[in-house]
Amino acid sequence: MDSTELRNASDFRRSPQDNDNTTVQASSQEPPTTQSLPPCDVGLAAWRLLLAAFVFEALLWGFPLSFGVFQDYYSTLPQFKDNSYISIVGTTASGISYIAAPIMVPLIRRYSKYRRQMIWFGWPFCILGLVAGSFAQTLGALIFTQGIMYSVGFIIFYYPILEMVNEFWVVRRGMAYGLLCSASGVSGAAMPVILRTLLERYGYPTTLRATAVALFLLTGPLLPLLKGRLPDTGVSAPVKTNWRFIKRPLFWIYSVSNFAMGLGYFFPALYLPSYATSNGMSATKGALLLTLMSLAQVFGQLSFGYLSDGKVPLTLLTITSSLVAAIAVYTCWGLASAFHTLAIFALVYGFFGAGYTATWGRIGTAIDSEPNAAFAAFALLNFGKGIGNVLAGPIGGALLNTNLQAGRYEGRAYGRIVMFTGSCLLVSAATIVVCFLDAAKLSSVLRKLKVITSFR
């Protein structure tokens, strides 16, 4: 979803017993009871599932990532023109998918025998949200249909698919997730331009209905291919999680940094097309900026994920991601009035900004090496970014300045949004600097603060 964070969850979903069983099943000396199972990491069944998951990810997650095009278009319509909170539609669609992580993963594991039923229910419900949205004439109706209905259906069918991929791909899981990671970026390179063309020619009701039909036809035939390696009753029950990591300073350092990143990260994708058109550029160029950002995002996530695997210190990667993205916001975006400058911003921001979430798997294990605790920490980080995502809509609406004042950076229509975005990213980077402090010194500071507070 920007979905690296969801895919990384799969690394923490198995208990140690599950991993041991998978190792045995993947070896050449399998016990007789596992001979009927398809092999891990190779074979037609594994690749069939992975390619089907790739299509679902590219199309059904790529659509909400392209909402900036819809926002730019909605803002030109009489019924939505004077409403500065249109962005809530997009942030709701993507934000719920993040927030649901701590809830959906345990449910999928506990009720694994119903995974296929979840897919068959969530998939049409997700598409139905677009059809219902085509009849919306108010912002509230759009939020409920294109935002809430779409995202609820998405999380119901998408998490079971990820669990199935986790069963098939074990030794080569990095390769499999890398391929899935590129799916939303690949679709994000083309979908904004296609949607922009449809919106200009046919309007949003026809565009939403045509998109729903296309998603139905392109993904429907692939539903029978979504089968896990293990029987639905063969996935182990969840193991009790030790929540000791909540008391560790490192967890709170990354939680604050991650929340600050999530609070500011989504604004460029939401407002870049509108920013471009407000500077006299065509709507097509605004959509092209999202395309460039999506392409850069693919390379950024793959690079940061690869480097986080023990090749570069985690703190350096996360600080670099937030800091470079903040600099790009303040300069290339905040001062830009030409397309080529905004194109540079889209490439730099897409590469470095998206790289942060690719380190989440490593952040979880750095906080706690125990698999279930690491996943719990990961899920809470996911939840924190989701909260920031949802808040981005109303905050953006409040910050958008329709009273233009030429010659003043903060007085421009998007000036306050730019300042807020850059500030959030700077806070994210500055918070991680605390990681360089000695753990004992940090604990001592926290104890002193507690004593001072108690004294007061």
Side-chain angles (χ1 to χ4, degrees), residues 91-112:
T91 57
T92 299
S94 54
I96 290 178
S97 299
Y98 290 112
I99 294 174
I103 300 174
M104 287 302 299
V105 172
L107 286 176
I108 296 300
R109 297 200 67 189
R110 184 174 295 275
Y111 302 105
S112 60

Side-chain angles (χ1 to χ4, degrees), residues 369-394:
S369 59
E370 197 276 319
N372 286 282
F375 170 64
F378 164 86
L380 291 178
L381 291 172
N382 209 335
F383 178 82
K385 185 172 183 178
I387 294 295
N389 189 183
V390 172
L391 291 177

Side-chain angles (χ1 to χ4, degrees), residues 123-162:
W123 171 72
F125 191 79
C126 178
I127 296 176
L128 183 61
L130 299 183
V131 178
S134 68
F135 296 97
Q137 293 295 323
T138 64
L139 180 60
L142 281 177
I143 293 174
F144 179 75
T145 56
Q146 195 174 345
I148 297 176
M149 284 185 64
Y150 188 92
S151 59
V152 169
F154 181 84
I155 62 176
I156 291 175
F157 83 78
Y158 187 66
Y159 279 92
I161 293 176
L162 288 181

